[in-house]
Every structure is written in C-alpha cells, then in structure tokens.
Amino acid sequence: MALIGRLFAIFFGFLAACFVAGMIVVVALLDPQFSDLGMELPDTDALNIILGFGFLFVSGFALVPAMIVVLITEAFYIRGVLTYAIGGAVCGAACYLGLIPFDTATMHFEGIVRRHLEIMTGAGIVAGFTYWLIAGRNAGAWREPRRDPPSPPPNLPSL
C-alpha cells in the first residue's frame, strides 16, 4: 500500500517539476521580447497555451532521463537536494542535446546555442529542486518497515 502512495507522489512531483521547468523555458525564450519597455504583456490566453506547450515539451523529453534519476534515488535511498539538482541539470542538458544533430564522423554536436543549453540546464536544476520538495525528501521510505506505536506505560500499583 505504501508503494502505491509513493508512486502517486513520484507522479505528482514529476508533473510539478515539468510544469516549473516548462515555465522557465518559455519565459527565458520570450525574454528578449519582454525587455522592450514599450511592449505590453501578451494575451493571457495565448500565454496559457504557450505554457501548456512548454509543459508538454519538457515532460515529453524529460520522461526517460528523469525516471532513471528517480529509479536510482529510490533504489539507494538518496535524499540529498544536491543530488536532485545535479540530476535535473543532467536531464535538462540531455533534453536539449537530444534535439541537436550529432555528427558521428567528427564526434561533436552541430549547432549548439550556448544560451539555450544554459536555459535548459537551469530549468532542469529548478525542476530537480521542485521534485525534491514534493517527493525526493522521502526517497526509499516506502521500503522501511512500519513502526509499532509505543506501548502505554504499565499501570503502577496504588498505595
């Protein structure tokens, strides 16, 4: 029963982390447009649609790397916030590098934009921290045996 509850916590933590990372990616990529002081804010409906696509993009590409990080941390009871931040950074970088063509003859990526790599890595770090806040602090706790409640103290004889 504890495993089912843990799976729900992992799922909810992953969704929240993807939502936060999607927001960071969308806002960071729209940042050059927001720097113009004469520009008014975009329509809220359009911004909601853009945030939704950002969430779908991040959750779709980050599913496999994030699940590998979750499996490792659950298996070895790893609960450190730095572990999740580094895992998120690796997942963010992997998501970005998965979209860039790789030349096998020269063994390097073609056309990496440094700013985009930094945005995806930073979004991964924040997503890892968000996941840690929701589900990572209790990694592996579902395998610990249940503790029995303390027994009441014995009745003392009355004088």
Side-chain angles (χ1 to χ4, degrees):
M1 202 61 172
L3 177 61
I4 294 172
R6 186 71 191 146
L7 289 175
F8 279 117
I10 290 171
F11 179 71
F12 182 70
F14 176 73
L15 287 181
C18 287
F19 183 71
V20 169
M23 285 186 348
I24 290 172
V25 168
V26 167
V27 169
L29 291 178
L30 291 177
D31 184 56
Q33 294 177 357
F34 284 147
S35 63
D36 183 15
L37 295 177
M39 184 183 146
E40 57 189 57
L41 291 175
D43 183 25
T44 57
D45 293 334
L47 189 60
N48 288 339
I49 291 172
I50 292 172
L51 288 177
F53 280 117
F55 166 73
L56 290 175
F57 168 77
V58 170
S59 63
F61 283 104
L63 179 64
V64 174
M67 284 299 122
I68 291 171
V69 171
V70 167
L71 285 174
I72 291 171
T73 56
E74 288 287 330
F76 296 112
Y77 300 97
I78 300 172
R79 298 179 181 175
V81 67
L82 188 60
T83 304
Y84 288 96
I86 292 172
V90 169
C91 289
C95 289
Y96 177 71
L97 294 176
L99 297 173
I100 303 299
F102 183 74
D103 185 17
T104 57
T106 59
M107 298 300 285
H108 75 283
F109 290 97
E110 298 287 333
I112 291 180
V113 178
R114 183 175 173 182
R115 180 175 184 269
H116 295 166
L117 181 62
E118 291 169 355
I119 289 170
M120 289 296 288
T121 304
I125 291 171
V126 175
F129 179 72
T130 303
Y131 178 82
W132 175 81
L133 283 175
I134 295 172
R137 294 180 294 161
N138 300 321
W142 58 274
R143 292 194 289 176
E144 294 175 0
R146 295 187 87 186
R147 296 180 185 151
D148 293 331
S151 59
N155 291 335
L156 297 175
S158 60
L159 295 173

